[in-house]
Every structure is written in C-alpha cells, then in structure tokens.
Amino acid sequence: MNNQLKLSVLDLVPRFGESTFEEALQQAVILAQHAEAWGYGRYWAAEHHDLEHLSCASPEILLSHIGARTKRIRLGSGAVLLPHYSPLKVAENFRMLAALYPGRIDLGIGRAPGGSAHTSMALSGNFLGHVADLPHRIRALTELLEDRYRYEDVPVAAKPVPATPPVMWMLGTNTKSAGYAAEFGTGYVFGQFMSDTDGAEVLQSYREAYRPSAFLQEPRTMVAVSVVCAATEEQAQKLAAEIPRPGRGSVPTGRKETADHEQSPVLAAIGQAEVGGGGDTHSSGRTATIHHRDPQRNSASESEVPAPSGSDSSGPSQRLIIGTPASVRNRLQHMAERYRCDEFLIVTPVSDYNARLESYRLLMEQQSTAAHI
C-alpha cells in the first residue's frame, strides 16, 4: 500500500461563536502557519460574499498577507469565482502573487455565486449571463497566463510576468466543471465534501477527456474532503455531534432560509448550488434565493451532514469523515486508491478554533508516522 498521501488545507475562514471578523482572519494566518510547520503541502482559502459567519471575500488579499508570514507552503484560492470578474484582473492578481512568492501560488477557479442572489447582482450584475459566458472567460484566463491573449486582435498582457507562473485548477462536483478542466488543461479538484456524486466517475471523465496545456501536460487531481479527527473515537464523535444538523435548532448564518436548511455556518457554506447547469457545485455559501440547479438533483447536499466514518461507498457518507487519526487516514488511503487522486484538501467544519487545529495536527502526525513504516 502506498503510504505517501499528500495532504493540504482548505480554509473557509469561518467566524465561530462571538469571534470578530478580525479574529477569524488572524485564525486563518495561525492555521496556515501551523499547516506549514506540520508538513501540509498547500493552504487554500475560499471566496464568499456577504455571509455573516465566513470572512474571506478576497482570497488574493488574504493569501498575500499569509504569504508574508509563511515560507514554503503553497498558497491558493479555493476558489476565485470567475463569473464575477475580468480574466485580465484575475491573471494580474495571481501573477502578482506568483512574483511575490515564487513557486508557491495556485489559482483555483470556480463558477458559483458565492452569496445570495442580490449580493451576486450587486457584485457583478447578471450572474447567470456571466456563467453562460464562462468558457470564454476560462479561455481568456488561460491565454493571459500563457501570454497569447489578444483583444480585438491587439496583444494584451497580464503583468507582472513571474518567473514561475501560478498553477491553474478548476473546482467542482460534477462533470460540467470536470469537462472545463479537461478542455482547458487545468488541474481538477473534486469537492466530495459537498457532493453525493460518485467522485471516481467524475475524476475518470476528467482524465479521459484531458487535453494537455502549455503549463500542464498530464491531468492532476485533488479531492476535497471534510474531516473531524480527534485522539479517540468518542472525542471525534462528540465534536461531530456538536456540529448543528438540520432540524436541531437555528444557527445564525446571516441567511434567510427555512428551518430544514439550517446547519452550522461552516457546513452551510460548503453546499451552494452552482448556477449554470449540470447541478455542479463547489465550496461557496448556499442561499435560498439561488436554486438554478439541475431539477433531477435532490436536496441532500443542502441538508444532510452524514456521520458514518467506516464506509467507502459514494454518497452522503463520503462528505464527513470522523474518527481517530488512524481510522481517518485509513479512510483517506482507501479513497485515494479508489479515486486515483494525487492529493486531499482537508476542511474541518468543527466550531472551535483549537479543536480545528488539533484535528489537522493529529491527522498529519499520523500521516508522518505511516510514511515511515
């Protein structure tokens, strides 16, 4: 059995309890610094807008701040929501980061709104129209990063031009985003932690359709999973039990939703439907006012927070892995073999900063031990 799992961190930058936004952002720095010290390969920050319990509307700014306070860990967006933005500005931002922190920058892009309908309209206008235009935006972004973009047949460059370019990834949970990643030659991150879809099939569809690009000759994959890890099974189950489930009372999230959609702020943020077809989603905040999903898709990703940690089947049990360091790592090893994935992005949706840090520490400690067996 291959013991060399690659582990990285996905941070939704949550604001727990009575903590302020400033405290939440400082906790993001602390998490990234500890992740680097413990041996995690990447720290990625998600993008959300006007959500009361999530603190990062501008991953590029947070990553610049964290880059100055770390030395080696790769830094990335999970994800920049490309329908909202000019490809040129996105390319400039991440080339700037790549010039400041050479060899450390990932550009993850996604296609969800990241907030409510009115927030999305205030941010960029006709979001549905922008999603329909997404293939053109991805093409423009890749051309800008490859220095071959032209506007009205006039060359336009995204500067500064770093010696080591950012690595581009697409995030999603279905074949729509996998298809974009394959078509444009980017890496692909499957968001298993918010999907009932069989990730193995989606990842295989990406590999089979992959077209090499100037920066990535072979397909590269990651799987984003939700993990609650503690020293004992009882402690892990207790932490998981404290994550509010639907029907267990209201949690103030800054959203207007019905009671059967009430979740912890972190879990609510990871299940938003992605507008634009295919029922595809990625890590972004769900709101009740945007539901342009595939009508065949059920609502499980909106409301279920499954607890089983022993099953390797696809479906809801894939979206929350609970247990001791050994049992969690064993589960990840089996997933890696089944999904043929290169790496895991770990998000830990507990509602306590110290417990979150301990979960990440224990998992990497177990990984380091297994790597030397």
Side-chain angles (χ1 to χ4, degrees):
M1 180 179 287
N2 178 16
N3 289 325
Q4 298 301 315
L5 286 180
K6 297 178 183 178
L7 302 179
S8 294
V9 172
L10 174 60
D11 189 4
L12 305 184
V13 198
R15 185 167 66 90
F16 296 143
E18 299 301 316
S19 61
T20 65
F21 286 111
E22 289 84 355
E23 291 168 338
L25 291 167
Q26 183 56 37
Q27 287 294 331
V29 177
I30 292 170
L31 175 57
Q33 290 173 328
H34 279 84
E36 179 176 75
W38 293 330
Y40 283 88
R42 308 173 199 267
Y43 170 90
W44 281 20
E47 175 185 334
H48 306 92
H49 299 279
D50 193 22
L51 295 179
E52 183 179 343
H53 284 263
L54 297 177
S55 308
C56 184
S58 301
E60 57 272 31
I61 294 177
L62 178 60
L63 296 176
S64 183
H65 179 72
I66 289 176
R69 288 156 179 79
T70 53
K71 295 180 180 179
R72 299 175 304 278
I73 195 167
R74 291 191 67 91
L75 304 172
S77 53
V80 166
L81 306 179
L82 188 59
H84 288 306
Y85 306 117
S86 155
L88 175 59
K89 189 59 178 174
V90 173
E92 289 174 338
N93 285 341
F94 278 80
R95 277 191 157 185
M96 174 72 81
L97 286 170
L100 290 169
Y101 307 111
R104 296 178 60 191
I105 300 302
D106 297 319
L107 168 52
I109 61 172
R111 63 192 193 104
S116 71
H118 287 90
T119 299
S120 296
M121 289 187 287
L123 181 61
S124 63
N126 181 3
F127 183 80
L128 288 175
H130 298 329
V131 169
D133 188 52
L134 187 60
H136 298 96
R137 292 182 183 228
I138 299 174
R139 181 173 291 106
L141 181 57
T142 58
E143 290 175 353
L144 284 159
L145 294 176
E146 296 171 3
D147 291 312
R148 56 186 181 85
Y149 179 76
R150 304 177 73 87
Y151 188 89
E152 293 184 348
D153 208 32
V154 176
V156 175
K159 295 180 179 174
V161 180
T164 304
V167 177
M168 191 168 164
W169 296 79
M170 185 83 197
L171 287 80
T173 61
N174 215 313
T175 54
K176 177 72 76 172
S177 54
Y180 287 147
E183 178 182 356
F184 294 103
T186 75
Y188 182 62
V189 181
F190 179 76
Q192 185 66 78
F193 72 128
M194 55 196 162
S195 175
D196 301 329
T197 302
D198 185 354
E201 292 183 4
V202 175
L203 291 170
Q204 183 61 24
S205 73
Y206 160 73
R207 296 186 192 98
E208 291 176 351
Y210 188 79
R211 301 178 186 174
S213 65
F215 294 135
L216 192 60
Q217 291 299 302
E218 300 290 335
R220 291 187 64 185
T221 60
M222 286 192 274
V223 176
V225 292
S226 185
V227 168
V228 176
C229 184
T232 67
E233 184 71 28
E234 292 74 19
Q235 290 173 336
Q237 292 293 342
K238 183 176 184 296
L239 285 171
E242 292 171 355
I243 301 172
R245 306 296 207 278
R248 287 177 54 184
S250 176
V251 175
T253 63
R255 296 168 292 115
K256 296 179 179 179
E257 296 184 300
T258 57
D260 62 348
H261 291 132
E262 288 165 354
Q263 304 176 357
S264 77
V266 176
L267 289 169
I270 65 179
Q272 178 166 1
E274 184 174 89
V275 179
D280 201 10
T281 65
H282 75 87
S283 55
S284 190
R286 177 178 295 282
T287 64
T289 51
I290 296 182
H291 288 297
H292 302 281
R293 296 196 305 266
D294 183 333
Q296 300 301 313
R297 182 179 175 89
N298 64 33
S299 60
S301 65
E302 300 177 41
S303 59
E304 287 189 57
V305 185
S309 60
S311 170
D312 285 312
S313 63
S314 62
S317 64
Q318 295 289 73
R319 287 191 282 110
L320 183 55
I321 301 173
I322 306 165
T324 63
S327 67
V328 168
R329 190 194 177 281
N330 183 60
R331 176 79 180 278
L332 293 176
Q333 184 70 62
H334 285 294
M335 289 182 69
E337 292 169 359
R338 181 171 182 269
Y339 286 18
R340 296 169 52 208
C341 66
D342 305 319
E343 188 171 346
F344 288 101
L345 276 173
I346 308 295
V347 58
T348 296
V350 298
S351 297
D352 178 88
Y353 292 121
N354 290 330
R356 182 174 69 154
L357 279 176
E358 183 68 356
S359 180
Y360 280 111
R361 185 190 71 80
L362 289 169
L363 179 57
M364 183 53 76
E365 184 178 83
Q366 179 67 31
Q367 165 63 10
S368 298
T369 299
H372 290 90
I373 295 176

